[in-house]
Amino acid sequence: MAAVQEYGHDHAMGTKEFSQVAMSPDKPSSPGPYDPANADANDMHRLGKVQEFHRNFGLWSALGFVSIYMATWEFVLVSLSVGFANGGFAGLFWCFITTVICYGTIVASLAEMESMAPTSGGQYHWVSEFAPEKYQKVLSYASGWMSTLGWLASVASSTYVVTIQVESMINVYAPDWTFTSWQITLIMWAFTLITIVFNTYAAGILPGLEIASLVGHIAGFVVTLVPILVLAPKNSAREVFVDFQNNSGYSSVGAAYLLSQVTVIYCNLGSDSVVHISEEVSDASLTVPRCMFWSYIGNVLMGIVMLIAMLFCIGPLDAVLESDVPYLLLFNNTGSPALSLALNIILFLLIYSGNVTALATCSREVWAFSRDKGLPFSKWLGHMNPRFSIPFNAVYATSVLVAVLCLIQLGSTLAFNIIVSLSVLGLLSTYMLSIGCVLLKRLRHEPLPHARWSLGRWGTVINAFALFYSAFINVFCCFPTALPVGLGDANWSPLIWVAVGIFSFVFYVVYGKKTYTSPVEFVEGRKAAGVGLQSS
């Protein structure tokens, strides 16, 4: 990872010069005066896109966007309950360490591809541009559908989290209070409706909100960490780092340990969220990959510190396993109900801020895929509101589909784990495809677009491991989190994933094969003569 190269001072180039440089592999432009606005225009021209968004996001707002979406230390507290059963305290700690190291290769690979092609389409565009010509259209189409599914599940999962946080805040003073399944659904829908406003009529404040969220993300980490460490009783170092336990029902600690990787990745998922606002970020080909990489490093470090604090201060493992909301035990261990409630509120506000980001990410991906006519009703979904320069229809449609996914919890006691697996499964499928395509080009020594943020000579090794690891994790996304398993607690995410895959295939054969325009058809140097710039 130390081999990352950044080239931030490029010549302002004309179209002809840019096209020539863009197709030379891993070579920086000559140093000289740098004009961010011109770089964005050149990138959009090479990619064959009309600039339809206002570029309102700078370095700090983009960094806030991806950091609060990842929210690693926050999700360490609220989403790692599976890991307690699948390895105990020590198993969860070491699983977190090994997983974030391995997953870092995926983040680095995605960041480099973003620098090559900074577009809101993200993975499905990269697959289209880097896949073998014979398979560009069908593979990018599949990637677009899997990306849409993954981001939809991600929005639904974070909406479920904030709903359970409301219950947790009530539980501080009323421990026996629980929402019924239908109440949870209604609250999730209410949060979704509120989030729509932030992504439509209030979208103008989004860059400022992301900067405020970044400040809150860092300040909240300190405010949460200090009272826990000072006030809560401590477990022993042996329990935290050495004592592996298996309460999952699987026959070996190793199998349970590997299953925990899915929820650990969920805590660190989302580095590519900022990819889908690339066309709204100034100097995107350098700013966005920088934000992806450094937000991952910062979030992982804070996540590790918070994880250690949680494992030391949460109390006996038996009590944790019996609790529906383990982090409430942690906050209550401070000995002050008022402080516990305050920490819950801080956590709630930060994770909800990430919900706003999540809906923005998913709606931009839906809009971009509709621009290429990849989804049903693409003309309507791809419509850009002329007053706000925001795809209102994509926001509305995304929210409706999220509301449908919210219904999963009506029929399953493990709704959150299913949606998490679905999110990871959908997104990692797109990572596999895009990283696999760029790796193949490297192995064949074929030219790649110029990357100002480059993996350099380590690109092949990092891409190869990232491809292997994403395939490895996809397998474990399909397993139930515990044994024995029945209809109510089965992992239905593989079934949903397959169902969406079948539907997308049928839709492609019947409709998409004729109408879907693979993004590479507009790329400079690859498009047919007479093809202009693409717009929604």
Side-chain angles (χ1 to χ4, degrees):
M1 305 281 267
V4 167
Q5 300 171 12
E6 294 183 358
Y7 306 115
H9 300 282
D10 302 337
H11 273 306
M13 296 174 288
T15 301
K16 182 177 179 182
E17 292 169 310
F18 182 83
S19 298
Q20 293 170 346
V21 174
M23 295 309 294
S24 60
D26 303 322
K27 291 182 181 179
S29 308
S30 303
Y34 177 58
D35 179 3
N38 195 56
D40 289 328
N42 284 334
D43 285 334
M44 292 297 283
H45 189 275
R46 189 192 78 78
L47 296 171
K49 311 296 183 188
V50 172
Q51 180 67 52
E52 298 187 67
F53 287 100
H54 298 306
R55 291 192 180 267
N56 295 328
F57 286 83
L59 174 63
W60 291 108
S61 52
L63 183 63
F65 187 98
V66 62
S67 296
I68 198 61
Y69 179 89
M70 287 183 65
T72 300
W73 74 259
E74 293 94 332
F75 277 95
V76 161
L77 294 175
V78 302
S79 68
L80 284 181
S81 57
V82 170
F84 291 122
N86 292 359
F89 293 156
L92 181 55
F93 173 77
W94 291 111
C95 182
F96 193 93
I97 298 298
T98 54
T99 300
V100 296
I101 292 172
C102 294
Y103 186 70
T105 61
I106 296 177
V107 173
S109 297
L110 297 175
E112 184 187 44
M113 286 187 287
E114 163 64 13
S115 189
M116 294 177 186
T119 167
S120 297
Q123 290 92 308
Y124 86 86
H125 176 103
W126 303 334
V127 170
S128 174
E129 190 169 347
F130 304 145
E133 186 174 353
K134 182 179 179 181
Y135 304 106
Q136 285 172 340
K137 188 169 185 177
V138 65
L139 288 181
S140 68
Y141 190 80
S143 180
W145 274 86
M146 290 302 105
S147 181
T148 301
L149 175 64
W151 286 118
L152 285 170
S154 180
V155 179
S157 65
S158 56
T159 305
Y160 182 85
V161 168
V162 294
T163 301
I164 297 304
Q165 284 183 281
V166 173
E167 184 177 88
S168 299
M169 287 186 275
I170 297 172
N171 288 157
V172 172
Y173 288 100
D176 296 328
W177 175 272
T178 57
F179 289 132
T180 62
S181 294
W182 67 267
Q183 287 173 325
I184 291 174
T185 300
L186 291 178
I187 296 172
M188 292 174 73
W189 287 353
F191 279 126
T192 301
L193 287 173
I194 297 169
T195 309
I196 289 173
V197 177
F198 284 104
N199 279 278
T200 50
Y201 297 101
I205 69 170
L206 202 54
L209 179 63
E210 301 302 345
I211 295 174
S213 297
L214 178 62
V215 173
H217 177 56
I218 297 171
F221 170 76
V222 176
V223 170
T224 302
L225 182 68
V226 171
I228 289 172
L229 290 177
V230 171
L231 299 174
K234 309 297 187 293
N235 294 319
S236 69
R238 178 179 178 80
E239 289 176 292
V240 172
F241 298 118
V242 179
D243 188 13
F244 290 79
Q245 295 188 32
N246 181 15
N247 295 283
S248 66
Y250 283 90
S251 58
S252 70
V253 175
Y257 178 98
L258 292 173
L259 280 168
S260 294
Q261 292 176 101
V262 176
T263 49
V264 171
I265 285 180
Y266 178 73
C267 289
N268 295 278
L269 199 67
S271 293
D272 56 318
S273 61
V274 69
V275 165
H276 299 290
I277 62 162
S278 293
E279 296 171 35
E280 301 168 66
V281 178
S282 297
D283 194 18
S285 60
L286 187 58
T287 297
V288 173
R290 278 178 171 173
C291 290
M292 293 172 69
F293 185 77
W294 291 112
S295 66
Y296 182 76
I297 298 299
N299 266 288
V300 163
L301 292 176
M302 287 192 288
I304 291 172
V305 172
M306 187 60 74
L307 176 62
I308 293 172
M310 178 176 72
L311 296 179
F312 269 105
C313 302
I314 200 168
L317 180 60
D318 290 342
V320 173
L321 293 175
E322 292 175 3
S323 175
D324 293 330
V325 188
Y327 70 88
L328 187 57
L329 293 178
L330 176 67
F331 290 166
N332 288 343
N333 278 349
T334 60
S336 168
L339 179 57
S340 176
L341 180 60
L343 295 178
N344 269 286
I345 292 172
I346 291 170
L347 196 61
F348 166 81
L349 291 174
L350 292 174
I351 292 180
Y352 181 72
S353 296
N355 279 21
V356 176
T357 298
L359 183 56
T361 296
C362 189
S363 62
R364 299 309 190 270
E365 193 277 338
V366 167
W367 172 83
F369 199 33
S370 298
R371 177 173 57 183
D372 289 305
K373 301 178 178 64
L375 293 171
F377 313 108
S378 286
K379 184 176 181 180
W380 183 80
L381 289 170
H383 176 71
M384 183 73 72
N385 183 284
R387 178 183 173 190
F388 293 89
S389 294
I390 296 293
F392 276 27
N393 293 349
V395 173
Y396 298 146
T398 298
S399 301
V400 169
L401 293 172
V402 167
V404 172
L405 281 177
C406 292
L407 297 174
I408 290 177
Q409 64 85 36
L410 289 175
S412 175
T413 56
L414 294 176
F416 177 70
N417 294 331
I418 292 171
I419 299 174
V420 165
S421 294
L422 185 61
S423 176
V424 175
L425 186 61
L427 292 177
L428 283 180
S429 299
T430 70
Y431 301 165
M432 281 179 58
L433 283 171
S434 55
I435 294 170
C437 290
V438 81
L439 174 62
L440 183 60
K441 289 186 78 71
R442 279 195 155 110
L443 293 175
R444 291 178 171 178
H445 303 289
E446 295 176 358
L448 285 166
H450 169 60
R452 294 166 61 203
W453 195 97
S454 172
L455 298 176
R457 65 181 182 275
W458 293 98
T460 301
V461 174
I462 292 174
N463 289 163
F465 184 83
L467 176 63
F468 161 77
Y469 189 66
S470 55
F472 180 74
I473 293 300
N474 262 339
V475 173
F476 287 97
C477 287
C478 301
F479 282 71
T481 56
L483 295 177
V485 64
L487 287 176
D489 52 10
N491 182 1
W492 294 101
S493 61
L495 180 62
I496 299 172
W497 184 79
V498 170
V500 171
I502 293 173
F503 178 82
S504 64
F505 175 76
V506 172
F507 189 77
Y508 178 77
V509 171
V510 174
Y511 180 77
K513 192 173 183 179
K514 301 174 184 177
T515 61
Y516 175 58
T517 53
S518 183
V520 73
E521 296 175 23
F522 297 93
V523 171
E524 189 73 20
R526 311 281 290 278
K527 63 186 180 182
V531 174
L533 299 180
Q534 183 191 30
S535 70
S536 61

